[in-house]
């Protein structure tokens, strides 16, 4: 499971669809509707949110907005939170975003080299943009991140 902290605009088609699917699974886990993945480290930051279900709902909405901009239709009726817009921002570190940038570029090198080539200039230099749910702060890679 990978719930990217990066802005969804960086994801290729396969990455965006996979993130949507995995985020729906995360939503089920946070709602207590599944037995698997309950201790997955990617869920730590959502569980720490004041309203975990609103947080994952806001995350899903952010993915759906990006998908719609690309001409895809993600079924937002699957978002369980009644108020995803009320979710408070979740903090993410610059180190985490930089780690995810490298991880995504490595994935794209084999999965979609053209997309990697397009993204490289946009992701070079400063810290990449975060998903709209997240607010960026200084710091290293998050403690919950597993080495890839």
């Amino acid at each position: 499971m990978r719930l990217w902290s990066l802005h969804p605009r960086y994801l290729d088609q396969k990455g965006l669809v996979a993130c949507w699917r995995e985020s729906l699974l995360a939503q089920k886990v946070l709602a207590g509707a599944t037995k698997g993945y309950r201790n997955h480290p990617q869920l730590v930051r959502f569980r720490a949110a004041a309203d975990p279900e609103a947080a994952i709902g806001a995350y899903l909405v952010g993915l759906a907005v990006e998908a719609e901009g690309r001409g895809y239709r993600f079924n937002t009726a699957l978002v369980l939170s009644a108020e995803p817009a009320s979710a408070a921002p979740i903090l993410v570190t610059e180190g985490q975003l930089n780690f995810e940038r490298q991880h995504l570029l490595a994935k794209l090198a084999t999965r979609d080299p053209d997309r990697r080539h397009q993204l490289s200039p946009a992701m070079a230099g400063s810290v990449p943009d975060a998903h709209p749910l997240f607010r960026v702060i200084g710091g290293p890679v998050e403690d919950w991140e597993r080495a890839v």
Side-chain angles (χ1 to χ4, degrees):
M1 179 184 297
R2 169 63 60 183
L3 304 178
W4 294 95
S5 307
L6 295 171
H7 196 286
R9 77 169 152 268
Y10 298 126
L11 301 176
D12 61 323
Q13 178 183 1
K14 288 181 182 178
L16 184 61
V17 171
C19 192
W20 174 258
R21 199 176 60 247
E22 292 166 359
S23 299
L24 288 172
L25 172 60
Q27 178 181 241
K28 285 181 109 175
V29 172
L30 292 168
T34 184
K35 292 182 182 179
Y37 292 96
R38 287 184 299 182
N39 298 314
H40 200 285
Q42 289 279 326
L43 299 177
V44 167
R45 57 193 165 164
F46 290 93
R47 281 202 175 96
D51 184 345
E53 289 184 27
I56 195 67
Y59 186 83
L60 283 159
V61 167
L63 296 176
V65 166
E66 176 63 25
E68 184 177 322
R70 296 186 194 189
Y72 312 144
R73 287 194 193 167
F74 287 2
N75 184 359
T76 55
L78 297 174
V79 176
L80 299 177
S81 174
E83 294 294 329
S86 70
I90 294 175
L91 302 179
V92 64
T93 62
E94 292 176 350
Q96 181 65 32
L97 290 169
N98 288 325
F99 173 85
E100 290 185 19
R101 167 183 30 210
Q102 294 309 315
H103 183 54
L104 178 61
L105 290 173
K107 283 182 162 294
L108 293 176
T110 56
R111 186 171 70 204
D112 192 343
D114 290 338
R115 178 81 173 160
R116 186 190 193 288
H117 182 71
Q118 288 174 333
L119 278 180
S120 290
M123 294 182 85
S126 63
V127 176
D129 292 335
H131 181 289
L133 173 64
F134 299 111
R135 187 167 59 91
V136 182
I137 60 171
V141 175
E142 300 283 356
D143 290 340
W144 49 259
E145 181 62 70
R146 288 186 181 164
V148 178

